[in-house]
Amino acid sequence: MIQLHDKVYTCPVDVTLGFIGGKWKLLILSHLHQFERKNYSQIKSNLPGVSEKMLSQQLKELERDKLIEKEVLSLKPYRVEYMLSAYGKALSPVYEVMSSWGISYLKHNGIDYMKDQELYK
Amino acid sequence: MIQLHDKVYTCPVDVTLGFIGGKWKLLILSHLHQFERKNYSQIKSNLPGVSEKMLSQQLKELERDKLIEKEVLSLKPYRVEYMLSAYGKALSPVYEVMSSWGISYLKHNGIDYMKDQELYK
DNA sequence: AATATACCTTACCAAAAAGTAGGCTGGAGA
DNA sequence: TCTCCAGCCTACTTTTTGGTAAGGTATATT
């Protein structure tokens, strides 16, 4: 049992899960892993189905927890770019293994993601 | 967009998340990764806070999805052991990276999990 | 005979997470 | 001037998830 920030965790994996759990965070992180840096709208269109509420909420939490960084490109027209921080990059194997596991699962189910992915856009 | 089993996924990571998402599944998997094979009660005591409902539900789903395997040791007194399947083992880097990420996060917050872990039992 | 332990299941309820819908600023382009 | 897009935020509602409590079988232990 680990106590931290008024919460109790059963093990280190549980601690990590506290930061990247939920429906959207790992998706955001792995997209930033794939594409390096992206602005708000680009992330939004990469994650079909995300609502703006969810996206800005999750981005804010990821930023607060130092998994991603936001660079403000301009203020007058407010423009930003998001990218993985060193902490976020340390989880790269997670994004990669989960991605290839998913791809091979799809392959076993007759879906060749690598070949078909342009069809899904 | 990927369509599979009446659901829509945004990418392969999302597909994988469909199998290991939620509060308990990754914890169960990483415990089985650490300890090789365990019976129901051992898993239960390794996951403080899990209810029997959640545990048997999640074990059942993980088994259905072929991430773990159950060996029935005896029927008359019903005794079983759970272990990772090949599919479950393919995610090992996920368990390991998430665990070491958690440990280093704790270290940065003044908790030396490796040193202190016997204290928490 | 009573209790304890392993291994579950089910019905019901509460909390957390996520979705909907709207609104707001400040350019840029027609 | 009107509309569009980037980049958000907030109130409200719904869905999903997880928790509680109880029940149930079979065997071993005291």
Side-chain angles (χ1 to χ4, degrees):
Chain A
M1 299 285 268
I2 303 163
Q3 218 144 347
L4 189 69
H5 307 142
D6 299 334
K7 277 200 153 192
V8 172
Y9 300 91
T10 68
C11 67
V13 172
D14 199 10
V15 172
T16 305
L17 228 37
F19 293 102
I20 64 174
K23 189 172 174 181
W24 296 109
K25 283 182 180 168
L26 261 166
L27 297 181
I28 293 169
L29 292 169
S30 82
H31 275 287
L32 288 175
H33 171 71
Q34 251 184 93
F35 298 113
E36 303 271 303
R37 37 167 59 225
K38 285 286 174 185
N39 62 33
Y40 184 87
S41 314
Q42 289 170 320
I43 299 173
K44 192 167 118 108
S45 44
N46 270 331
L47 298 182
V50 123
S51 69
E52 306 216 322
K53 175 202 158 196
M54 275 297 118
L55 184 55
S56 62
Q57 190 179 100
Q58 305 297 302
L59 284 170
K60 205 159 283 247
E61 290 179 19
L62 287 169
E63 206 193 336
R64 178 201 64 196
D65 296 336
K66 315 262 183 227
L67 285 151
I68 65 174
E69 281 160 15
K70 170 162 78 174
E71 191 179 328
V72 178
L73 300 179
S74 81
L75 276 173
K76 298 78 72 74
Y78 190 61
R79 295 293 178 273
V80 291
E81 269 181 355
Y82 293 94
M83 65 219 74
L84 294 182
S85 70
Y87 273 115
K89 283 178 185 163
L91 289 170
S92 295
V94 172
Y95 320 137
E96 276 167 19
V97 172
M98 284 184 63
S99 182
S100 54
W101 195 96
I103 290 170
S104 81
Y105 178 88
L106 290 171
K107 213 169 258 173
H108 283 297
N109 284 266
I111 301 176
D112 189 342
Y113 181 73
M114 294 320 249
K115 206 180 130 209
D116 297 353
Q117 66 177 314
E118 66 248 45
L119 298 177
Y120 295 116
K121 290 195 179 154
Chain B
M1 300 287 265
I2 304 163
Q3 218 145 345
L4 189 68
H5 307 143
D6 300 331
K7 276 198 153 195
V8 171
Y9 300 91
T10 69
C11 67
V13 172
D14 199 10
V15 171
T16 305
L17 228 38
F19 293 102
I20 63 174
K23 190 174 175 182
W24 297 109
K25 282 183 179 167
L26 261 166
L27 296 181
I28 293 169
L29 292 169
S30 82
H31 275 287
L32 288 175
H33 171 71
Q34 250 184 96
F35 298 113
E36 303 272 301
R37 37 168 58 225
K38 284 285 175 187
N39 63 33
Y40 184 88
S41 312
Q42 290 170 321
I43 298 173
K44 192 168 117 110
S45 44
N46 271 330
L47 299 183
V50 99
S51 69
E52 304 216 323
K53 174 200 159 198
M54 274 297 118
L55 183 54
S56 62
Q57 190 179 101
Q58 305 297 301
L59 285 170
K60 206 160 283 253
E61 289 179 18
L62 287 169
E63 206 194 336
R64 179 200 62 197
D65 297 335
K66 316 263 184 224
L67 285 151
I68 65 173
E69 281 160 15
K70 170 162 78 175
E71 190 179 327
V72 178
L73 300 179
S74 80
L75 275 174
K76 298 79 74 75
Y78 191 62
R79 294 295 177 270
V80 291
E81 269 181 356
Y82 294 94
M83 66 218 75
L84 294 182
S85 70
Y87 271 115
K89 283 178 185 164
L91 289 170
S92 295
V94 172
Y95 319 138
E96 276 167 20
V97 171
M98 284 184 64
S99 182
S100 54
W101 195 96
I103 290 169
S104 81
Y105 179 88
L106 290 170
K107 214 168 258 173
H108 283 298
N109 284 267
I111 302 178
D112 189 341
Y113 180 74
M114 293 321 249
K115 206 180 130 208
D116 298 352
Q117 65 177 317
E118 66 246 47
L119 298 176
Y120 294 116
K121 288 194 178 153

